[in-house]
C-alpha cells in the first residue's frame, strides 16, 4: 500500500515539476518575444562580449557584421546561437553551417549572457549610427626652424636700424647746413660718414675696443652653439607616405608600442612594422577615424590588394612603404633597444617622448652623447627582482654595504665606459 502511495506521489510530483518547467519556459519565451531591449545596456554588453569579433555595422570583422541580423534570423534563433553555437551547427541548420564554413570553421564560444542582454545587444545594433568621419589633413612639418627664423629676424632688425641711423645722420647734417646758409653764415663742408665715424672712434677708443671684443666673443659663442647643433634634429617631424597617427593607435586605442615595433624586445633596432602587421587590424578596419579610407587604402595598394581585404590575399606587385626615418644615431654609436627595453625596463616614452599624444611623430629628445651620459649618471637601475642583474646586484650591495639605501645608477655598472657605445 505504501509503495502504491509513494509511486502515486512521485508521479504527481513529476507532473508538477514538468508543469513548472513548462510554465517557466513559456514565460521565458514570452519575455524574449515581448521585451524590446535596452540599447544603452546593450552597448555595454556588446563592448564587453562582442566587440572583439563583431562590428555593429554590416561590415565583416573576425565574425559577421551584426547590422540587420534580425532581418536574417529570428530572435529565438539568435538567442540559441549565442548560448550554444556548436549545438546549432550540429543540428544541421543550413544558415549556421554556412556561417561556420564562411568564417574558416571558427566556432563562436558560448557567451555568459542572459536572454534579456542578448535582446539589449540587438536593440543597440538596431539603433547604432556610425559616427561621422571628420576628414582632416595634417600639415606638413619638418625640423624646427625657430632658431633660424629668430636669427634672420634679428639680422633684419639690425640692418633696418643701421639704415635708419644713416638716414637720420645725413638728414641732420643737411638740416644744419641749411640753417647756417639761411643765417648767412659759411656752412662747413659736409663730412662723409666715414670721416665722422673715424673721428668718433678716435675719441672713444675704449668703448670701440669693448664693442669689438664683445662682437668677437659673441660670434665665437654663436659659432660654437651652431656646431654643437650639427646632427641634432630635435622636433624633426618629416612628412610620411601614409598619414599614420600615433595618437589614435597608441593613445586612443591603447596599442602597445612593441606590438608594432616588436624588434625592440628582441634586438638592436625597434624596426618599422611590415604592412602585414597593419593588416592584422586593417583587413577588417578599412576606414580611419580622421582620414576616412584614403590612408588605409595606401596599405592595400602597397600589398596589391584589389579585392576583399578580409581575404588577406596579397597580389604579386607588392611595393614597400617608403617610411622616412625620424630617429637616427651616427654609425659610430652602438645602441641596443632590447638592452634598454627588456633588461633596463626603460619605457619608450623616456626617450621618444609622449608618442601617444603625437599625430605626427617627431624627435622629442636630442639623442646626443651628453644627453645619454646624463641619463646614465642619474637613472637608477631596476635590479630588485630583475634576473638579468642578480649577480651584479649582489656584488654592488656587498661593495657598498656601508651605504645602506644607496641607489645604483647605470654609471655604477659601467654605463660611462667609452667601449660600451663606441667600439
Amino acid at each position: 500500500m505504501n509503495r502504491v502511495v509513494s509511486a502515486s506521489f512521485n508521479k504527481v510530483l513529476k507532473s508538477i515539476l514538468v508543469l513548472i518547467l513548462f510554465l517557466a519556459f513559456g514565460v521565458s519565451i514570452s519575455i524574449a518575444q515581448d521585451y524590446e531591449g535596452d540599447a544603452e545596456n546593450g552597448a555595454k554588453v556588446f563592448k564587453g562580449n562582442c566587440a572583439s569579433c563583431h562590428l555593429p555595422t554590416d561590415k565583416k570583422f573576425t565574425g559577421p557584421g551584426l547590422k540587420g541580423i534580425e532581418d536574417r534570423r529570428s530572435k529565438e534563433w539568435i538567442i540559441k546561437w549565442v548560448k550554444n553555437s556548436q549545438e546549432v551547427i550540429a543540428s544541421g541548420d543550413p544558415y549556421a553551417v554556412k556561417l561556420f564554413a564562411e568564417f574558416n570553421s571558427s566556432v563562436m564560444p558560448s557567451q555568459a549572457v542572459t536572454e534579456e542582454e542578448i535582446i539589449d545587444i540587438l536593440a543597440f545594433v538596431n539603433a547604432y549610427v556610425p559616427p561621422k568621419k571628420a576628414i582632416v589633413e595634417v600639415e606638413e612639418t619638418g625640423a624646427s626652424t625657430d632658431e633660424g627664423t629668430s636669427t634672420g629676424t634679428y639680422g633684419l632688425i639690425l640692418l633696418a636700424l643701421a639704415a635708419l641711423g644713416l638716414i637720420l645722420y645725413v638728414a641732420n647734417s643737411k638740416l644744419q647746413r641749411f640753417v647756417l646758409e639761411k643765417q648767412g653764415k659759411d656752412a662747413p663742408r659736409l663730412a662723409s660718414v666715414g670721416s665722422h665715424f673715424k673721428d668718433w672712434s678716435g675719441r672713444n677708443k675704449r668703448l670701440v675696443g669693448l664693442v669689438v671684443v664683445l662682437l668677437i666673443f659673441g660670434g665665437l659663442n654663436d659659432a660654437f652653439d651652431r656646431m654643437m647643433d650639427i646632427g641634432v634634429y630635435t622636433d624633426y617631424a618629416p612628412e610620411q607616405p601614409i598619414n599614420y597617427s600615433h595618437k589614435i593607435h597608441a593613445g586612443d586605442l591603447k596599442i602597445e608600442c612593441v606590438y608594432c615595433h616588436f624588434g625592440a624586445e628582441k634586438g638592436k633596432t625597434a624596426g618599422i612594422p611590415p604592412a602585414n602587421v597593419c593588416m592584422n587590424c586593417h583587413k577588417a578596419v578599412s576606414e580611419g577615424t580622421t582620414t576616412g579610407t584614403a590612408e588605409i587604402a595606401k596599405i592595400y595598394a602597397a600589398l596589391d590588394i584589389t579585392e576583399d581585404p578580409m581575404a588577406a590575399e596579397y597580389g604579386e606587385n607588392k611595393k614597400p612603404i617608403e617610411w622616412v626615418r625620424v630617429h637616427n644615431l651616427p654609425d659610430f654609436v652602438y645602441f641596443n633597444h632590447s638592452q634598454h627595453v627588456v633588461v633596463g625596463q626603460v619605457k619608450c616614452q623616456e626617450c621618444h617622448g609622449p608618442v601617444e599624444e603625437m599625430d605626427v611623430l617627431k624627435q622629442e629628445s636630442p639623442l646626443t652623447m651628453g644627453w645619454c651620459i646624463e641619463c646614465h649618471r642619474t637613472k637608477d637601475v631596476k635590479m630588485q627582482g630583475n634576473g638579468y642583474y642578480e649577480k651584479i646586484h649582489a656584488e654592488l650591495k656587498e661593495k657598498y654595504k656601508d651605504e645602506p639605501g644607496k641607489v645604483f645608477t647605470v654609471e655604477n655598472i659601467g654605463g660611462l665606459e667609452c667601449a660600451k657605445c663606441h667600439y
Side-chain angles (χ1 to χ4, degrees):
M1 180 68 179
N2 290 335
R3 289 182 180 178
V4 173
V5 172
S6 177
S8 300
F9 178 77
N10 287 337
K11 287 181 180 180
V12 171
L13 182 61
K14 287 180 180 178
S15 299
I16 293 171
L17 289 173
V18 169
L19 180 61
I20 291 172
L21 289 172
F22 176 79
L23 290 173
F25 181 75
V27 170
S28 175
I29 294 296
S30 176
I31 290 173
Q33 289 175 342
D34 298 336
Y35 180 59
E36 294 182 358
D38 181 353
E40 185 175 349
N41 183 58
K44 297 177 183 177
V45 180
F46 176 86
K47 185 176 181 181
N49 295 271
C50 314
S52 59
C53 295
H54 299 279
L55 296 174
T57 64
D58 56 0
K59 292 185 178 180
K60 295 179 181 179
F61 196 33
T62 304
L66 299 185
K67 195 71 174 178
I69 189 172
E70 289 190 78
D71 296 334
R72 302 189 293 273
R73 299 285 97 186
S74 66
K75 283 184 180 177
E76 290 76 13
W77 188 95
I78 296 169
I79 291 170
K80 289 180 182 179
W81 175 264
V82 175
K83 289 286 189 180
N84 194 339
S85 63
Q86 296 95 320
E87 183 178 337
V88 181
I89 295 169
S91 70
D93 183 277
Y95 190 81
V97 173
K98 178 185 175 184
L99 276 181
F100 183 65
E102 184 179 350
F103 289 91
N104 302 318
S105 301
S106 60
V107 178
M108 186 182 83
S110 300
Q111 301 297 311
V113 291
T114 65
E115 292 183 10
E116 287 79 8
E117 287 175 329
I118 295 173
I119 297 173
D120 289 345
I121 293 170
L122 294 176
F124 160 68
V125 171
N126 290 332
Y128 179 78
V129 177
K132 292 182 179 180
K133 310 298 181 182
I135 309 300
V136 298
E137 294 183 2
V138 179
E139 294 181 2
E140 180 180 352
T141 58
S144 174
T145 57
D146 290 346
E147 183 178 350
T149 303
S150 298
T151 303
T153 302
Y154 290 140
L156 289 173
I157 291 173
L158 289 174
L159 184 61
L161 289 174
L164 180 60
L166 178 61
I167 292 170
L168 290 174
Y169 171 78
V170 173
N172 181 61
S173 299
K174 289 188 174 182
L175 284 173
Q176 287 181 356
R177 183 179 178 85
F178 177 76
V179 170
L180 290 174
E181 288 178 348
K182 281 290 186 181
Q183 293 175 352
K185 299 179 181 179
D186 292 333
R189 180 174 172 272
L190 188 63
S192 65
V193 177
S195 300
H196 276 283
F197 178 75
K198 185 177 180 180
D199 180 61
W200 178 85
S201 59
R203 289 183 279 108
N204 299 276
K205 292 181 179 179
R206 290 184 179 180
L207 180 59
V208 172
L210 178 62
V211 170
V212 170
V213 170
L214 289 176
L215 287 173
I216 291 173
F217 277 99
L220 290 174
N221 181 66
D222 184 64
F224 178 78
D225 289 341
R226 289 178 178 276
M227 286 190 290
M228 290 299 292
D229 283 339
I230 293 175
V232 179
Y233 302 104
T234 307
D235 292 332
Y236 176 55
E239 182 182 13
Q240 299 290 356
I242 296 178
N243 180 11
Y244 176 89
S245 171
H246 278 79
K247 182 178 183 297
I248 292 174
H249 292 79
D252 299 343
L253 301 178
K254 309 296 182 187
I255 298 176
E256 292 290 335
C257 300
V258 292
Y259 178 78
C260 299
H261 301 283
F262 48 83
E265 292 184 316
K266 297 177 173 61
K268 177 182 175 182
T269 60
I272 296 174
N276 63 323
V277 172
C278 306
M279 288 298 294
N280 288 341
C281 296
H282 287 296
K283 66 181 180 181
V285 181
S286 59
E287 190 170 358
T289 55
T290 60
T291 57
T293 59
E295 299 303 314
I296 298 174
K298 295 177 183 178
I299 303 174
Y300 300 157
L303 293 172
D304 194 24
I305 297 174
T306 56
E307 297 181 1
D308 184 9
M310 284 292 292
E313 294 180 358
Y314 308 153
E316 297 180 357
N317 299 313
K318 296 184 289 293
K319 297 178 181 178
I321 301 171
E322 298 182 0
W323 299 101
V324 180
R325 187 166 186 167
V326 178
H327 302 87
N328 196 15
L329 292 177
D331 292 340
F332 54 79
V333 177
Y334 176 81
F335 176 86
N336 190 299
H337 271 84
S338 63
Q339 173 69 30
H340 290 75
V341 175
V342 180
V343 181
Q345 300 176 13
V346 178
K347 298 292 184 183
C348 302
Q349 288 82 352
E350 293 187 41
C351 297
H352 296 291
V355 293
E356 70 280 4
E357 300 173 5
M358 300 180 189
D359 273 315
V360 178
L361 186 68
K362 68 176 182 178
Q363 181 175 321
E364 180 78 11
S365 305
L367 306 182
T368 60
M369 179 176 171
W371 178 78
C372 294
I373 288 175
E374 180 65 19
C375 181
H376 283 193
R377 282 175 174 162
T378 57
K379 182 75 174 177
D380 60 308
V381 182
K382 295 178 177 63
M383 294 187 179
Q384 196 70 34
N386 190 338
Y388 290 96
Y389 288 121
E390 284 182 2
K391 183 174 182 294
I392 194 170
H393 191 203
E395 292 174 352
L396 287 171
K397 285 195 295 185
E398 177 63 25
K399 181 178 179 180
Y400 295 98
K401 60 184 177 181
D402 297 332
E403 301 180 38
K406 179 177 175 59
V407 175
F408 300 112
T409 65
V410 184
E411 181 178 9
N412 296 124
I413 59 174
L416 297 189
E417 295 174 7
C418 301
K420 293 287 185 181
C421 303
H422 307 289
Y423 61 87

